[in-house]
Amino acid sequence: MTILSKLSQIPFKSIVQNSKNSYQTLRWLHKPISRSTILRTWRICGFGTGLAAVTFRKVSCAPRISSKRIDHLRSKDQNASMTMWELWQLIKPFFGWFFAAIVCAILSAYINIQIPLCLGDLVNGIVEIIKDESKNLRSQFEHLRPSAMHLMTLYVAQSALTFLYITFLTILGERMATKLRSDLFQKLLHHDMAFFDSHKTGELSARLNADVQEFKSSFKLCVSQGLRTFAQTIGCIGSLYFLSPTMTMYTVAVVPGIILAGSAIGAGLRQLSRRAQAQSATASAVSDEALTNMRTIRAFAMEKLESKLFDNELDKARAMQEQLGIGIGLFQAGTNLFLNGMILSVLYGGSNLISKGEMTPGALMSFLVSAQTIQRSLSQLSIIFGTAIKGWTAGGRVLEFQRLQPSIPIDTGVCIPYHTLWGDIKFDNVSFSYPTRPGHNVFENLTLSIPAGQVVALCGPSGEGKSTITHLLERFYEPKTGKVTLDGRDLKELNVEWLRGQVIGLISQEPVLFATSVEENIRYGRPDATDQEVRDAARAAHVDEFVSRFPSGYSTIVGERGAQLSANLIYVIKDKKALESGTHEQLMAKKGSLYRKLVEAHNVD
Ligand SMILES: Nc1ncnc2c1ncn2[C@@H]1O[C@H](COP(=O)(O)OP(=O)(O)OP(=O)(O)O)[C@@H](O)[C@H]1O
């Protein structure tokens, strides 16, 4: 508990009773501090510092299990930061709410400054009643009414303003976060394929969710508490100056030093916060990759290893977060110690002025409450400072991916009119390497011509570059040299959205389904297709019969990435027709089934 908290708990009555000799009121301040008290305090400080040092060392030396499998998941972008201009761009669309919140926060701070002064007036009134020797207490009491009413009005106004600025800030924070998330998602959807080759899903979803959340909470706290406490501090310093310029000078003189020291420590903590958040993103990426590849993990019985890998990354993130917490804790503890010491020394010197009778009891009360407001505000500011560091870093991490510009814009370029489109494809001296492997040329000076209307199959060993040809044709990547043309026009001139959406149909060798019905998955490329068109497409792909056998037919939910579609089902296919389907047990139980014959013929267990 702080010295000022103790002072404010001295009942009014005791101050009033001793008002004739105000020196007595603060007499305990002059009491010499015993040697044993100093030693005890020193020991407690020493023990606290030692404990912090041991913990700090412990978290710095957290276990490090090296794992090459997850090296590619580590976040490489550790310089994420946000400028004031970028912050302003985020606030600008919701400036009305921001302005309203600021006005309410400042008004609330102004009222908080007025309350101690008004309280002082009330105390002065009470002192008058006690001093009055005419014993006309009733009429003196009536004089208190305006001050009491004034104080009551301030309390009510302060509550109303608190409600308003919290409401405005909630609306502002939620809208900003929604826009930030929506803009980032939109930007991610338009990034080059090369971007997705070098950034893992877990990392991207951490930025889209956890970082936006962190930024929103910190922003709300910093604006609501930070602005109010800052305005309160400035206002209360003004009040203190009004009450006693000498004591105020003592207080304000050291503030620039504190701000400088705070900025230096802040820079270090920001760096630590960036590293901690990047490590948390790596941990998310590890769990994300494991959960995505659950079947492979099961098949290789790698549950324990995956769990260990995740724990290891989690442990590093925890250690960094603890380091950050300890850093912020030390900063806050130092600030508190400084603030308490500052107020104690100011009061100690100030008691001298009071003993000379230069202050009224009301002014003393006002001084105590104002000083306590400053002390509370400053210690709250140091907490807000820690939150601001985390929020600033999180905002920077979100904006980092927003700033990147895709090198292949999808909505510019020309579309060849439908009636003049033939479909002649040419690869003209094309050399290519994937951006993540610049040293490995998949092909050099490839020349290939596919005339319109011809069916061409590319055959070759795995890894020879067959899929890469389709990637270049879809313009997922740009050739290093040479060009790919459609009807003689370089793909670079064409509108990518039109090319991918209306000209080229791609079926991947590892089709990925969305967790919705079979029908909606077929309709994915053309959301306006009718039910009949969906069935016609299924018939053309020879899946109509297979889908119709499900109890819910085309409405069957395929599960995440299509896992439920064929989870344990086995299909025996001949001439593009599914002759038998069922689980291993069901097909083996059927006498004379093709599957059973196949199993028996190959002597499979
Ligand atoms: N996104 C990528 N980033 C880096 N290298 C890649 C990427 N995709 C493929 N490669 C590499 O490019 C080369 C050609 O791969 P590609 O997939 O085109 O071969 P493929 O002939 O289609 O093989 P498969 O028959 O197995 O599908 C391989 O060495 C492969 O490892």
Side-chain angles (χ1 to χ4, degrees), residues 197 434 436-437 440 442 461-468 477 509:
D197 288 342
Y434 281 96
T436 44
R437 279 195 211 156
H440 171 71
V442 180
S462 184
E464 280 296 285
K466 302 177 295 293
S467 308
T468 306
Y477 305 90
Q509 66 194 45

Side-chain angles (χ1 to χ4, degrees), residues 50-61 272 319 322-324 326-327 330:
L51 189 70
V54 168
T55 322
F56 200 78
R57 190 162 176 269
K58 213 175 154 201
V59 295
S60 306
C61 305
L272 194 56
E322 281 178 11
Q323 245 177 351
L324 180 66
I326 290 171
L330 282 175

Side-chain angles (χ1 to χ4, degrees), residues 70-195:
I70 57 164
D71 281 354
H72 68 290
L73 297 175
R74 295 192 199 290
S75 178
K76 290 153 205 102
D77 317 280
Q78 294 195 353
N79 291 321
S81 69
M82 183 171 55
T83 62
M84 285 307 277
W85 173 252
E86 284 171 325
L87 181 63
W88 166 241
Q89 291 303 314
L90 288 177
I91 297 171
K92 209 162 87 175
F94 314 104
F95 183 70
W97 294 110
F98 182 64
F99 184 72
I102 284 190
V103 169
C104 290
I106 290 176
L107 283 178
S108 163
Y110 174 75
I111 289 176
N112 278 356
I113 298 161
Q114 291 298 310
I115 286 173
L117 301 177
C118 197
L119 214 52
D121 285 347
L122 199 65
V123 171
N124 277 340
I126 296 169
V127 171
E128 286 305 313
I129 295 178
I130 294 165
K131 276 191 194 161
D132 188 24
E133 276 159 17
S134 67
K135 298 293 171 213
N136 192 4
L137 295 181
R138 203 62 227 159
S139 83
Q140 286 289 352
F141 180 70
E142 289 300 312
H143 281 117
L144 283 183
R145 186 170 300 198
S147 302
M149 287 307 290
H150 188 195
L151 198 58
M152 184 68 198
T153 316
L154 290 178
Y155 284 146
V156 172
Q158 198 224 35
S159 303
L161 286 165
T162 303
F163 165 73
L164 285 177
Y165 82 69
I166 288 177
T167 306
F168 294 153
L169 265 179
T170 304
I171 295 173
L172 171 71
E174 291 307 323
R175 290 184 188 195
M176 265 172 69
T178 307
K179 186 170 183 309
L180 200 58
R181 201 168 273 173
S182 157
D183 287 353
L184 178 62
F185 186 59
Q186 209 180 348
K187 204 68 195 252
L188 289 178
L189 288 179
H190 288 80
H191 273 318
D192 298 339
M193 287 310 292
F195 172 85

Side-chain angles (χ1 to χ4, degrees), residues 15 101 111 132 235 296 414 537 543 562:
I15 294 176
I111 289 176
D132 188 24
T296 313
V414 294
V543 290

Side-chain angles (χ1 to χ4, degrees), residues 379-445:
S379 47
Q380 215 168 353
L381 273 178
S382 75
I383 295 171
I384 294 164
F385 176 78
T387 313
I389 285 172
K390 287 188 172 182
W392 200 261
T393 316
R397 284 167 57 79
V398 175
L399 291 180
E400 185 181 23
F401 286 166
Q402 280 214 39
R403 284 185 216 118
L404 295 177
Q405 288 302 330
S407 62
I408 306 177
I410 66 161
D411 46 7
T412 56
V414 294
C415 308
I416 301 173
Y418 185 68
H419 57 279
T420 60
L421 178 68
W422 288 101
D424 281 328
I425 294 165
K426 269 201 185 110
F427 280 68
D428 192 2
N429 263 320
V430 172
S431 301
F432 176 74
S433 61
Y434 281 96
T436 44
R437 279 195 211 156
H440 171 71
N441 274 353
V442 180
F443 21 74
E444 270 172 70
N445 304 325

Side-chain angles (χ1 to χ4, degrees), residues 362-378:
L364 171 64
M365 187 68 203
S366 297
F367 192 90
L368 287 178
V369 180
S370 290
Q372 199 183 19
T373 307
I374 293 179
Q375 187 250 8
R376 246 188 291 124
S377 299
L378 287 181

